[in-house]
Amino acid sequence: MSQFNNATIVKAANIYYEGNVTSRTVLLEDGEKVTLGIMLPGSYEFGTDGPEIMEILSGDLSVLLPGEQEWRQIQGSATFHVPGDSSFKLEIRTVTDYCCSYPKA
Amino acid sequence: MSQFNNATIVKAANIYYEGNVTSRTVLLEDGEKVTLGIMLPGSYEFGTDGPEIMEILSGDLSVLLPGEQEWRQIQGSATFHVPGDSSFKLEIRTVTDYCCSYPKA
């Protein structure tokens, strides 16, 4: 879907890496949380509490998921899952637009 | 207010200046449109169609409004109005979080 309806949007941004990664928190009708974010070119590492589903809406990047030896290459759109209580690395080559979901257990 | 309830948020970001300025479009319950955005340090100029109300949520910046000779200095939060069919200039010194409203005539 291209938009979220009946959602609650937190006004203030979440800001990481001096603004090179930013997102907005959206609470969906069913109580699920997603963040809509932008990553500018650079190298980043993020930790997870619970599991995350990262949907890349657009971008050119590589991702190294926990337990994997090889970087996955993404150009355009793609989705990857990150286990909870872990971390993953990103190499962003072009402005990347994403939607991250935090599914409830 | 710190959040928007019962709103629609468009998933894909609006991307300007190679990602140095990005925003998400939010349609409020009353039909009004706002964009929640981030500006990274740099110099920008934006044109308006209709009038805009810019609420700076956080940041350190200068703004030159149409018809004004002097740059306004903003540190922290502030609001300024931009007439429709005009343009304004921004000098962003630190990551700036904003909410732009597009009031209906």
Side-chain angles (χ1 to χ4, degrees):
Chain A
M1 93 221 80
S2 65
Q3 61 184 40
F4 296 114
N5 299 318
N6 301 313
T8 297
I9 296 127
V10 178
K11 214 165 160 184
N14 311 305
I15 299 176
Y16 310 97
Y17 287 100
E18 298 182 317
N20 287 301
V21 179
T22 57
S23 71
R24 305 275 167 181
T25 301
V26 178
L27 303 169
L28 305 184
E29 213 173 354
D30 64 3
E32 199 187 329
K33 185 180 95 164
V34 305
T35 53
L36 290 168
I38 290 284
M39 298 184 280
L40 294 187
S43 302
Y44 310 108
E45 180 163 8
F46 291 101
T48 65
D49 291 324
E52 298 184 5
I53 302 170
M54 270 291 267
E55 180 189 0
I56 303 297
L57 303 170
S58 62
D60 183 342
L61 63 150
S62 305
V63 57
L64 184 64
L65 293 174
E68 299 194 351
Q69 306 303 317
E70 206 154 316
W71 289 75
R72 297 186 190 192
Q73 307 303 321
I74 296 174
Q75 285 180 310
S77 59
T79 297
F80 57 87
H81 293 243
V82 188
D85 199 21
S86 70
S87 70
F88 62 109
K89 292 180 180 178
L90 295 154
E91 292 280 345
I92 306 293
R93 286 181 292 273
T94 66
V95 183
T96 294
D97 189 10
Y98 72 85
C99 177
C100 186
S101 304
Y102 305 83
K104 293 184 173 176
Chain B
M1 92 222 81
S2 65
Q3 61 184 40
F4 297 114
N5 299 317
N6 301 314
T8 296
I9 184 162
V10 177
K11 216 166 160 184
N14 310 306
I15 299 176
Y16 311 98
Y17 287 101
E18 297 182 319
N20 288 302
V21 178
T22 57
S23 71
R24 304 272 168 184
T25 300
V26 178
L27 304 169
L28 304 185
E29 213 173 356
D30 64 3
E32 200 189 328
K33 184 179 95 164
V34 305
T35 53
L36 291 168
I38 290 283
M39 297 184 282
L40 295 187
S43 301
Y44 311 108
E45 180 163 8
F46 291 102
T48 64
D49 291 324
E52 298 184 4
I53 303 170
M54 269 292 268
E55 180 189 0
I56 303 297
L57 303 170
S58 63
D60 184 341
L61 63 151
S62 305
V63 58
L64 184 64
L65 293 174
E68 298 193 353
Q69 307 302 317
E70 206 152 318
W71 290 75
R72 297 186 189 193
Q73 306 303 320
I74 297 173
Q75 285 180 309
S77 59
T79 297
F80 56 86
H81 292 242
V82 188
D85 199 20
S86 70
S87 69
F88 62 109
K89 292 180 180 179
L90 296 154
E91 291 279 346
I92 305 294
R93 286 181 292 272
T94 66
V95 183
T96 294
D97 189 9
Y98 72 86
C99 177
C100 186
S101 303
Y102 306 83
K104 293 182 174 177

